[in-house]
Each structure stands twice: as C-alpha cells, then as structure tokens.
Amino acid sequence: MRILPIKMTAISPIQYFYTAAAGGMRSSNFIGDIALKYGFLRQMGLFSLPDPGKSQPTYDEINDYPFWITVGIPRSMAFGKGEESIYMKNMIRNTMQGADYNGSNVHPLFKTGQLMYKNFFFVQPLKPGNIFYSYLVYDEEYFGTFKLPEMVRVGNNKTGIIKIDRTNDEFRSVINLYTFQNIMGKSLSIHKNEYSSHLVLQYFLMGYYSSKEVLEIYG
C-alpha cells in the first residue's frame, strides 16, 4: 500500500451534513471519505450512477476497489493552524411570494408556513475557495494505472465540485470509524479522540492521525 497527500479546493458551493448555527443551518466543515470515494470512482469511469429507484448507496460495493481516502478536513484542522472554513448564504432567495419584501424574508400578507422553500436562504453551504486535505491510500498495482481525477462532485445531489491536487505537505488527518467497522468489516487498530468538531458524528470521526499511522491502519 502507498499513501498520497492530496489538497482539495472547493470551486462551487458545497452543501453537506448540517449543524445548527446562529442565523441558519451550516454545512459541516469536512468532506466525508465515503462521498470522496464515490466521487473518485465516478470520475475514473469505474462506477455508474445509482438506479433511479435506489434511495441510498450499498456501501459494501466500494470494497471492490482497493483504495481509500481519509476524511477531507480544512487547513485549521490538518495543520493545527490556519484558516477556518468559510460559509456563505444562498444568494437566490424566494421571491415568488414576496420573500424579499422590505428587506425581510416574509411578506406581511403571507404566513410563514405558506412560503415555498422558506428555509432556503438560511442554508449556509461551504464557500468556493475553501481548501481541504486528505490522504489517499491505495494499492499501487491497481491505482497506478489510473490518473488522479482533476475534479470530483460531492455534497447534496453532487452539486459541489472540488479540484484535486497532489501535495507534498505532511498534515494531520481524520478517519471515519463507520467505514472501518460497517463497510470494510475491520477494527480500527489505533483510536484517537482529539477530533471533536461535529457533535452528531463525534463517535464516528476519529483523529488526529499522521501519514505513517494512516498507512499502518489501512495497510
């Protein structure tokens, strides 16, 4: 097994798991490892889109491809310093029923419950320009024949686009315990509980790990 540090730059807004925040629902400040692997597979032409009637992925299907990606985390987490994730509000607001009336989100003649997409403006996706870091762990015999995807789609309905670049940086990483236990059917050999950014997923996202530890765990 080999390891490759990669840098991922958001070039479109990314809407993801939401966490409650003042003024709206904020996307989480990471990109999931499962979403990244599906994104890589589609860009590499190895995986087709799911059937229209399929409500959720069959995660064990990605075991057929011997490479894994750690959770994409922002610079502040990867290096223990630097920029935090930057968020934005959707610029297109609901004007069908006067949502922009007098600078407010509600026209006085309409009840809030009658407004279409009334929560749309309060969703806060990750802003383009955010940078994330992740380790790609792969079998050289398999992955060496494929070119690293230049871009992949992630997030809700795959509307978010991230640019993929190689880097020589050494950084800390976060591992998804769910991937190990429920998809790979393995036990995580090294447990670390320093990562505590996401309350809902605090029991699944483990960190922080060095590149050597990541290679040992996946290898």
Side-chain angles (χ1 to χ4, degrees):
M1 299 292 285
R2 300 192 64 180
I3 191 168
L4 175 68
I6 55 177
K7 173 183 175 182
M8 302 175 287
T9 305
I11 60 177
S12 71
I14 299 175
Q15 299 185 48
Y16 221 71
F17 298 108
Y18 293 134
T19 55
M25 296 299 290
R26 177 174 292 177
S27 295
S28 298
N29 59 348
F30 65 88
I31 301 177
D33 59 324
I34 299 173
L36 284 171
K37 183 159 186 177
Y38 274 113
F40 268 61
L41 288 172
R42 291 192 180 101
Q43 288 300 106
M44 294 163 65
L46 298 174
F47 195 84
S48 60
L49 293 172
D51 297 330
K54 193 174 183 180
S55 59
Q56 64 182 26
T58 308
Y59 292 139
D60 59 359
E61 62 199 359
I62 59 179
N63 278 322
D64 296 333
Y65 307 94
F67 71 89
W68 299 94
I69 309 169
T70 61
V71 176
I73 57 175
R75 188 190 303 270
S76 59
M77 294 182 183
F79 297 99
K81 59 182 180 180
E83 300 87 351
E84 298 284 347
S85 296
I86 300 174
Y87 299 90
M88 60 179 286
K89 284 190 177 181
N90 289 305
M91 300 305 294
I92 301 175
R93 298 178 64 176
N94 175 21
T95 58
M96 293 180 65
Q97 295 177 332
D100 281 325
Y101 173 83
N102 199 26
S104 69
N105 196 48
V106 181
H107 191 285
L109 296 180
F110 288 92
K111 296 180 180 179
T112 303
Q114 295 176 329
L115 293 172
M116 295 179 64
Y117 312 112
K118 52 186 174 293
N119 295 325
F120 183 73
F121 177 67
F122 298 102
V123 172
Q124 299 179 31
L126 290 158
K127 190 175 183 179
N130 276 289
I131 296 176
F132 304 89
Y133 292 87
S134 184
Y135 285 113
L136 171 65
V137 185
Y138 62 98
D139 183 332
E140 185 178 12
E141 182 178 350
Y142 169 83
F143 201 88
T145 60
F146 295 96
K147 183 180 179 181
L148 191 69
E150 295 182 359
M151 297 180 187
V152 298
R153 288 184 173 272
V154 295
N156 295 354
N157 297 318
K158 305 297 181 290
T159 55
I161 304 176
I162 54 176
K163 182 176 179 290
I164 306 296
D165 293 296
R166 299 169 185 264
T167 179
N168 295 320
D169 294 326
E170 171 73 25
F171 48 82
R172 307 184 304 175
S173 63
V174 171
I175 288 176
N176 187 353
L177 184 61
Y178 180 90
T179 301
F180 269 85
Q181 294 181 342
N182 296 66
I183 300 178
M184 301 174 68
K186 298 172 60 177
S187 297
L188 190 63
S189 58
I190 306 174
H191 284 256
K192 291 192 174 184
N193 297 311
E194 300 169 60
Y195 177 90
S196 59
S197 177
H198 198 288
L199 295 178
V200 177
L201 299 176
Q202 61 181 326
Y203 302 111
F204 289 103
L205 300 184
M206 312 288 291
Y208 296 98
Y209 295 90
S210 67
S211 60
K212 291 182 179 179
E213 289 173 326
V214 170
L215 189 58
E216 176 185 343
I217 290 171
Y218 282 94

